[in-house]
Amino acid sequence: MPYSLVCLGNPLLDIQVDVEKSYLDKYDLKENDAILIEDKHIPIFDECLAMDGVKLVAGGAAQNTARGAQYLLPADSVVYFGSVGKDKFADKLSEANQSVGLTTRYMVQESIPTGKCAALINGPHRSLVTDLGAANHFKPSHLEIPENWKIVEEAKAFYIGGFHFTVSPESILKLGKHAAETNKPFALNFSAPFIAQFFKDPLDQAVPYADYVICNESEAAAYAESHDGLTAESTLLEIATFIAKLPKVNSARPRTVIFTQGTDATLAVVASGDSVTSTEYPVHALEPSKISDTNGAGDAFAAGFVAGLVEGKELATSIDQGHWLASLSIQEVGPSYPFPKQTY
Ligand code: 26A
């Protein structure tokens, strides 16, 4: 049986620790952000590894989504592409992926270490600092390997982590073009404010292929600030409507833009030709005492949502399944899902 869903992203191992706000301040980090490492952040990894209670958990935003979607879907439904090294960190990722039955088609770098992300948890917040390592070396040629391209050709849907715009926009476009040509759904997550800010051009080149855009409120705000026609004052509804109405390559499908906002209702705007509809979907907020950490909450939402798409569920049901999976994941340590398996 062919795989249903193909995902592309940056495989990372999360080095997760609880920190005080003062630790974030020391390194000029915001409470809820995701950034690429700069020289001044280099000591963070060794410091975190030496902290009490440090946890090593599989991460990488789209990989978390791929694991979550496979968690919900029948066996052998999801394939994840990305690049890793040949080391213990890659072994840890494989272990987590195998636990849910996720198939990976890693491009393996012989002498570059697997990427890592310091996930700094401060109460309900999470600040992510990433050293991409091997993940930065993914190449479109890996998708072109005949057995990989066969997987792409046979897939029913695609999910792209926007973080991958920092690595291989060409690979994203390659999958986007295939999806448009074959009328298959193509979902793009904006991933982090810095993507809309600093990777605006590759993002703008890929959006015309997107049938689904998924992001949170701070990524939407960063998008508004970097795009003419929107401003820092634009409302979420205005931003979502703007993105939904942008030119689209595959006119056979509407564009759906989904903005999550933590415990506030998720906004979905659907543009089909001249018609635009917007709906808010409430989140079933979890009692705060049940939350372990919010690392990977957005990825789990995306997982529940795309799994719904693949299953042919309605938009409202897919969004609700996303909320449900996110609420399960934030009760686990890091971007993980509970065992024994729960069903929606
Ligand atoms: C390019 N960057 C910065 C990144 C990431 C990333 N995944 C891919 N690329 N920065 C953080 N993450 C992952 O986001 C997850 C939480 O949503 C972390 O590994 C974490 O598991």
Side-chain angles (χ1 to χ4, degrees):
M1 276 289 280
Y3 296 95
S4 305
L5 176 67
V6 163
C7 303
L8 170 67
N10 309 325
L12 304 173
L13 189 78
D14 287 359
I15 301 170
Q16 183 169 315
V17 287
D18 289 311
V19 296
E20 299 293 332
K21 171 97 169 34
S22 55
Y23 189 76
L24 302 178
D25 294 341
K26 178 171 149 196
Y27 286 104
D28 289 330
L29 298 171
K30 294 187 198 142
E31 277 187 326
N32 274 311
D33 204 3
I35 63 160
L36 285 168
I37 192 168
E38 294 168 34
D39 286 347
K40 64 179 178 187
H41 302 125
I42 291 173
I44 291 180
F45 291 104
D46 283 339
E47 287 174 7
C48 287
L49 284 168
M51 283 181 199
D52 280 346
V54 57
K55 289 150 196 149
L56 299 185
V57 279
Q63 185 169 237
N64 300 337
T65 298
R67 274 200 320 281
Q70 181 58 73
Y71 177 89
L72 296 178
L73 292 169
D76 300 324
S77 290
V78 187
V79 175
Y80 172 77
F81 286 101
S83 180
V84 295
K86 263 191 164 169
D87 48 25
K88 289 223 165 67
F89 278 15
D91 295 342
K92 278 254 359 145
L93 296 185
S94 296
E95 210 178 282
N97 292 333
Q98 279 162 18
S99 75
V100 296
L102 173 66
T103 301
T104 52
R105 287 279 170 164
Y106 286 143
M107 185 175 185
V108 179
Q109 309 294 332
E110 291 292 326
S111 51
I112 308 171
T114 298
K116 56 195 180 201
C117 170
L120 309 172
I121 310 296
N122 170 231
H125 313 292
R126 97 284 181 269
S127 196
L128 308 169
V129 182
T130 291
D131 178 357
L132 279 169
N136 209 13
H137 297 267
F138 188 85
K139 297 285 178 299
S141 59
H142 188 68
L143 295 172
E144 287 157 11
I145 295 171
E147 60 186 31
N148 289 344
W149 193 250
K150 184 165 182 276
I151 291 174
V152 169
E153 284 189 317
E154 290 178 349
K156 286 202 301 201
F158 298 88
Y159 176 84
I160 312 292
F163 279 126
H164 202 72
F165 283 116
T166 69
V167 174
S168 178
E170 210 184 323
S171 299
I172 298 174
L173 287 180
K174 203 173 169 55
L175 295 178
K177 284 178 184 157
H178 167 79
E181 281 162 14
T182 52
N183 189 21
K184 298 174 187 172
F186 185 76
L188 184 60
N189 194 312
F190 282 1
S191 295
F194 86 87
I195 296 293
Q197 239 176 330
F198 301 119
F199 294 85
K200 175 179 184 292
D201 291 346
L203 177 71
D204 291 345
Q205 278 173 36
V207 166
Y209 297 97
D211 301 297
Y212 296 90
V213 167
I214 304 172
C215 70
N216 67 23
E217 70 279 40
S218 51
E219 293 146 14
Y223 183 95
E225 285 187 45
S226 62
H227 285 79
D228 290 342
L230 294 168
T231 68
E233 275 73 51
S234 302
T235 63
L236 286 180
L237 179 60
E238 285 163 354
I239 303 167
T241 305
F242 178 95
I243 298 171
K245 288 168 76 172
L246 287 171
K248 197 159 184 306
V249 176
N250 177 11
S251 53
R253 287 179 185 274
R255 180 178 293 119
T256 304
V257 178
I258 299 168
F259 288 172
T260 59
Q261 336 179 46
T263 51
D264 290 341
T266 294
L267 171 68
V269 171
V270 184
S272 184
D274 287 337
S275 122
V276 179
T277 56
S278 75
T279 314
E280 290 201 350
Y281 299 92
V283 173
H284 315 287
L286 199 64
E287 209 182 285
S289 66
K290 288 193 170 166
I291 300 177
S292 165
D293 61 77
T294 57
N295 182 19
D299 306 331
F301 168 79
F305 176 74
V306 284
L309 276 189
V310 168
E311 295 166 301
K313 291 183 172 165
E314 297 286 332
L315 181 68
T317 313
S318 299
I319 288 176
D320 195 64
Q321 180 163 280
H323 291 156
W324 168 80
L325 193 61
S327 83
L328 290 188
S329 177
I330 62 180
Q331 296 177 67
E332 302 294 307
V333 173
S336 313
Y337 305 96
F339 280 93
K341 265 194 191 188
Q342 314 280 308
T343 42
Y344 174 71

